[in-house]
């Protein structure tokens, strides 16, 4: 029997997964986290991840009691089979398919499969991840239909009853900033601005009002536009 009051959050250290981690800490009795090392070309993402994890429990006293184990899984095989701008030193550009070349084919399907195997072993009934098909790069493995299909396939294949929960699916980036503000106030948004990392180019030298990043890659553009459109820009 899987315990639905315990959640496993797919946590990369970016804005979206940090928001989802806070969201889960508000709702579940216990929250564990899982991260994946898949040969990201910028190790900074993994460093920021640790920084956010060590600080988020200070935002609300009850969060530190709820935050449980962190699991790091080696998925370097993903980097070995996909030559993309996220895993190799290639310039970021749009492909003929309409997707940016940062697309790692099937990445979220692999992540969810590994996460549910871990959740199965640990008796965790809910899996939370920060995918979104409102403001996104068009990756098909971020869409709601993909998530629902993966949930069905995993539950059939493992004879389980996992809930795959995607709190950001129908929010644009401004609404994601508003959501983190509602959950953890300015303190959570400050943590997101200072320590979460979303820039595809791994830039941690340029500090903007919305955080660190090159300011030009698709990920930075979404983060910036969302911030400017949100009430936080007036803070
Ligand atoms: Zn960037």
């Amino acid at each position: 029997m899987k315990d639905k009051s315990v959640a496993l959050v797919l946590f990369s250290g970016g804005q979206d997964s940090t928001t989802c981690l806070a969201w889960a800490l508000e709702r579940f009795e216990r929250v564990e986290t899982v991260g994946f090392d898949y040969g990201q070309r910028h190790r900074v993402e993994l460093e920021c991840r640790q920084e956010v994890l060590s600080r988020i429990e200070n935002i609300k006293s009850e969060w530190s009691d709820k935050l449980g184990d962190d699991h790091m899984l080696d998925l370097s095989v993903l980097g070995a089979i996909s030559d993309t701008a996220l895993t190799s030193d290639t310039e970021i550009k749009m492909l003929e398919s309409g997707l940016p070349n940062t697309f790692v084919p099937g990445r979220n399907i692999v992540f969810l499969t590994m996460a549910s195997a871990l959740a199965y072993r640990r008796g965790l009934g809910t899996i939370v991840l920060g995918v979104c098909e409102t403001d996104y790069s068009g990756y098909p493995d971020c869409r709601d239909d993909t998530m629902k299909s993966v949930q069905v396939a995993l539950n059939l294949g493992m004879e389980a009853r996992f809930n795959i929960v995607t709190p950001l699916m129908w929010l644009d980036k401004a609404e994601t900033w508003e959501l983190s503000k509602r959950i953890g106030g300015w303190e959570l948004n400050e943590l997101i601005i200072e320590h979460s990392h979303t820039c595809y180019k791994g830039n941690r030298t340029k500090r903007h009002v919305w955080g660190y990043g090159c300011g030009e890659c698709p990920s930075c553009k979404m983060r910036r536009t969302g911030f400017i459109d949100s009430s936080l820009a007036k803070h």
Side-chain angles (χ1 to χ4, degrees):
M1 191 65 190
K2 306 282 170 277
D3 188 348
K4 297 261 188 291
S5 65
V6 189
L8 178 65
V9 178
L10 275 69
F11 180 64
S12 69
Q15 177 186 359
D16 291 348
S17 68
T18 302
T19 305
C20 283
L21 177 56
W23 181 91
L25 285 166
E26 280 292 271
R27 277 163 187 78
F28 294 89
E29 286 169 24
R30 194 161 59 84
V31 177
E32 298 192 8
T33 46
V34 60
F36 303 99
D37 186 347
Y38 58 98
Q40 295 94 320
R41 67 174 177 173
H42 300 296
R43 312 303 291 173
V44 66
E45 192 181 300
L46 298 176
E47 289 160 21
C48 289
R49 184 181 183 280
Q50 289 308 322
E51 204 59 40
V52 172
L53 262 187
S54 66
R55 291 170 183 268
I56 199 163
E57 58 186 325
N58 300 327
I59 291 178
K60 289 192 185 181
S61 57
E62 61 269 28
W63 287 4
S64 63
D65 299 328
K66 291 180 172 186
L67 189 60
D69 292 345
D70 177 42
H71 311 273
M72 200 67 203
L73 301 181
D74 178 5
L75 285 182
S76 47
V77 64
L78 261 186
I81 57 175
S82 60
D83 181 25
T84 82
L86 279 191
T87 53
S88 63
D89 205 10
T90 315
E91 198 188 330
I92 296 172
K93 57 181 184 213
M94 292 305 282
L95 301 171
E96 271 178 38
S97 61
L99 290 172
N101 63 342
T102 46
F103 177 53
V104 180
R107 179 175 52 173
N108 285 329
I109 298 172
V110 177
F111 285 178
L112 276 171
T113 306
M114 301 311 290
S116 57
L118 179 70
Y120 188 99
R121 288 279 181 213
R122 298 187 64 80
L124 318 175
T126 304
I127 298 168
V128 181
L129 74 165
V131 287
C132 165
E133 72 163 271
T134 308
D135 259 353
Y136 78 136
S137 298
Y139 299 166
D141 61 337
C142 290
R143 294 179 191 147
D144 193 47
D145 283 354
T146 307
M147 292 299 119
K148 290 191 162 79
S149 308
V150 170
Q151 174 174 290
V152 170
L154 290 172
N155 281 337
L156 287 172
M158 295 189 191
E159 205 155 62
R161 262 279 165 244
F162 294 118
N163 279 339
I164 293 179
V165 184
T166 56
L168 312 183
M169 184 59 79
W170 307 113
L171 303 185
D172 62 25
K173 277 282 172 276
E175 290 168 324
T176 299
W177 282 109
E178 301 293 349
L179 176 64
S180 48
K181 185 179 164 189
R182 272 203 307 281
I183 296 170
W186 178 249
E187 219 180 319
L188 178 59
N189 279 333
E190 205 167 30
L191 175 76
I192 289 169
I193 289 167
E194 296 299 334
H195 298 289
S196 77
H197 182 84
T198 31
C199 174
Y200 285 153
K201 292 188 173 173
N203 187 311
R204 295 293 296 171
T205 57
K206 287 187 201 161
R207 166 68 156 81
H208 315 265
V209 283
W210 44 268
Y212 289 89
C214 70
E216 299 301 324
C217 74
S219 186
C220 279
K221 281 181 185 165
M222 275 190 283
R223 182 165 164 151
R224 180 188 64 212
T225 309
F227 187 90
I228 290 168
D229 291 345
S230 76
S231 66
L232 277 82
K234 298 163 199 88
H235 181 83

